[in-house]
C-alpha cells in the first residue's frame, strides 16, 4: 500500500516526524501537498473526506483510513514497519515518549508565538524573548535530562528496547530542531546530552535516513517552521 | 485488578480525565497521592520504580505496568472497560481526538502561564491577558467548532460511534473546565456549542459520573489547577 501524507509545504514542522518514520522504513508514500500544493489539505479540514476528521495536519491516508495527530500516526505506522517492538508494553511506552516529544515541540513553537498563532512573530517579540529564556534555561534542560534518563534506563542507546524505534527517529529530529533554533543553549548542554547526541549520530547514519537527509525531500529548517533560529531568543 | 493513580493532590488537572474514565467504568482504583500525599509521586519521576519512566503525572500503575501521558493512559484503559469500540479504526480515531483535547488543555494552561511555569501568575499577568484574549477569541471557537463538527459527523451525540466513550467523558471535562475558567466567553459560544452542551448533560447524568461529581472525590475547580478563573482573562 502506498501511503499519502498531507502536510503544509515549505516547512518540516510536525510532518517531519512522520516523514522520518516513512523514510527509515522505506515505505512507499506520496507527500501529496508537495506535489499538488497546500490546497489539497483543505478538504480534510472541511470534513469533505470520509473517515476521521483531522483538526490539523499532518494527516496520513492509509487506504481508506484517515489518521491525524503526529504521535497517533506514528503509533499506527510503527508496528507495520518494525519501528517498535511487538509487545503491547513497549508500544504503550513508545506512545508515552512520543507524546512527550509532542509536548516539547509545542513549547518550542510557543517560544516564537507565546501570545497568538494569528499574529506575526514581530508582533510578540518582547514576550517571545521572555518565554524563550524560560524555555532555554528551564524546559530544554528538563526535557532533555528526562530523555537522557530514558536512554540510560534502556540499553543506553535506544529509547525502547535494544533496537531502533520511531521514538529514536523523533528524538533525532527534536535534537536537530533544537540545535538549529538554539545553538548556544544546546552547546551549553553538550555534556548533559551525551547519549542523545550519540543517538543522533547513529540515526543520521542509518542508510535510509542518510539518503533522505541528503535528498531534496528534506526541507531545510527555516523561519516559517516550528524550530526557528532567532539569535535574540538564544541568548541565555 | 486494582489500579493505582498518581496525581498531584488539590487540583483536578490532567488527572481528572483519567479519574472520569475510571469512575464511569466503575473500576477499582486508589488515588494514591490523595491518601498518602504528593511525595509518593517523586520516586516515579526519579526513576526509582521499574517500568516506564514518566516525565510527569498523571501516572497509572496497572499491576506491574507503569503508564504516563493522559491520552496514553486513556487509550490503555478504554478497551479494557468498554469505553471505546473494539475496532482498531475507532480506537485510532479516539486517540486522535483525545490528543487534540490534550492540545487545547495545554493552551488553556498557558493562558495563565504564557511565559514560564516556574513563575507565578502574578509575574506574567500582562502577557496572560494577551494570550487569554487570543485563546478566547480564536482558539476556543476553533477547537469547539471542530469538536461540534466531530459530533455532527458521528450520530450527533457521541464522538466515536453510537456509544459513550472516553472521548465523550473528556469533552465533558474540557467543557466544564472552560466554562469554569471563561464563563463569559463560553456564554457567547452557547449557540455554536449545542451538541457539546447536550453531550455534557448526558455525561453528567450517567449514574457513575453523577455519583462521582456529587462525591468528595471530585475536587472543585480552583486557581491552582489548569482551568483557572481570573475575570480579567475572560473579558473579550
Amino acid at each position: 500500500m502506498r501511503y499519502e501524507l498531507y502536510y503544509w509545504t515549505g516547512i518540516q514542522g510536525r510532518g517531519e516526524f512522520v516523514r522520518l518514520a516513512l523514510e527509515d522504513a522505506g515505505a512507499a508514500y506520496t507527500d501529496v501537498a508537495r506535489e499538488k500544493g497546500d490546497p489539497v489539505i483543505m478538504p480534510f479540514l472541511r470534513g469533505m473526506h470520509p473517515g476521521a476528521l483531522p483538526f490539523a495536519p499532518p494527516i496520513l491516508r492509509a487506504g481508506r483510513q484517515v489518521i491525524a495527530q503526529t504521535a497517533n500516526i506514528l503509533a499506527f505506522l510503527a508496528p507495520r514497519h518494525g519501528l517498535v517492538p511487538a509487545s503491547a508494553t513497549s508500544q504503550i511506552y513508545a506512545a508515552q515518549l512520543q507524546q512527550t516529544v509532542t509536548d516539547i515541540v509545542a513549547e518550542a513553537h510557543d517560544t516564537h508565538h507565546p501570545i497568538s498563532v494569528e499574529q506575526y512573530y514581530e508582533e510578540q517579540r518582547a514576550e517571545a524573548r521572555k518565554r524563550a529564556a524560560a524555555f532555554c534555561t528551564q524546559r530544554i534542560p528538563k526535557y532533555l535530562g528526562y530523555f537522557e534518563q530514558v536512554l540510560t534506563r534502556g540499553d543506553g542507546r535506544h529509547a525502547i528496547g535494544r533496537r531502533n524505534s520511531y521514538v529514536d527517529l523523533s528524538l533525532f529530529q527534536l535534537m536537530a530542531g533544537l540545535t538549529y533554533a538554539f545553538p548556544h543553549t544546546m552547546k551549553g548542554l553538550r555534556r548533559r546530552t551525551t547519549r542523545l547526541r550519540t543517538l543522533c549520530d547513529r540515526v543520521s547514519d542509518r542508510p535510509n535516513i542518510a539518503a533522505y537527509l541528503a535528498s531534496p525531500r528534506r526541507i531545510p529548517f527555516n523561519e516559517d517552521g516550528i524550530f526557528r533560529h532567532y539569535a535574540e531568543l538564544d541568548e541565555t
Side-chain angles (χ1 to χ4, degrees), chain A residues 1 3 60-63 65 67 70-81 166:
Chain A
M1 181 178 53
Y3 297 107
L60 186 79
R61 189 140 66 175
Q65 196 167 0
I67 306 166
T70 310
N72 194 42
I73 294 170
L74 292 169
F76 167 83
L77 283 174
R80 285 163 180 76
H81 296 281
Y166 72 94

Side-chain angles (χ1 to χ4, degrees), chain A residues 18-27 29 81-83 164-166 169 202-203 205-210 212:
Chain A
V18 181
R19 287 194 190 100
L20 286 169
L22 291 167
E23 293 281 349
D24 188 72
Y29 76 102
H81 296 281
L83 282 173
N164 184 65
S165 73
Y166 72 94
L169 303 177
R202 176 178 63 71
V203 167
D205 281 346
R206 289 177 66 81
N208 287 356
I209 296 294
Y212 169 65

Side-chain angles (χ1 to χ4, degrees), chain A residues 114-189:
Chain A
I115 301 300
S116 170
V117 290
E118 304 287 328
Q119 293 176 351
Y120 290 109
Y121 166 65
E122 288 71 19
E123 299 175 80
Q124 46 198 310
R125 267 174 85 171
E127 296 88 353
R129 281 182 88 121
K130 291 189 192 180
R131 175 131 189 173
F135 185 67
C136 290
T137 58
Q138 297 154 12
R139 304 299 283 172
I140 294 180
K142 181 167 177 173
Y143 276 107
L144 297 189
Y146 167 72
F147 286 121
E148 278 284 318
Q149 211 184 336
V150 166
L151 294 175
T152 304
R153 197 172 173 90
D155 68 351
R157 303 179 64 239
H158 304 92
I160 301 283
R162 298 172 174 279
R163 282 194 312 141
N164 184 65
S165 73
Y166 72 94
V167 178
D168 293 348
L169 303 177
S170 291
L171 289 175
F172 159 80
Q173 176 64 12
L174 173 65
M175 290 290 287
L178 292 174
T179 302
Y180 172 79
F182 306 104
H184 176 72
T185 297
M186 291 297 282
K187 197 174 172 190
L189 290 171

Side-chain angles (χ1 to χ4, degrees), chain A residues 21-98:
Chain A
L22 291 167
E23 293 281 349
D24 188 72
Y29 76 102
T30 305
D31 206 334
V32 185
R34 291 191 73 190
E35 294 198 356
K36 299 185 178 172
D38 283 343
V40 296
I41 298 171
M42 300 317 293
F44 286 99
L45 306 182
R46 294 197 184 114
M48 294 161 69
H49 290 304
L53 183 69
F55 180 75
I59 300 160
L60 186 79
R61 189 140 66 175
R64 285 164 54 187
Q65 196 167 0
V66 174
I67 306 166
Q69 281 285 1
T70 310
N72 194 42
I73 294 170
L74 292 169
F76 167 83
L77 283 174
R80 285 163 180 76
H81 296 281
L83 282 173
V84 70
S87 83
T89 302
S90 292
Q91 293 189 18
I92 291 166
Y93 191 23
Q96 174 192 313
L97 296 173
Q98 188 66 42

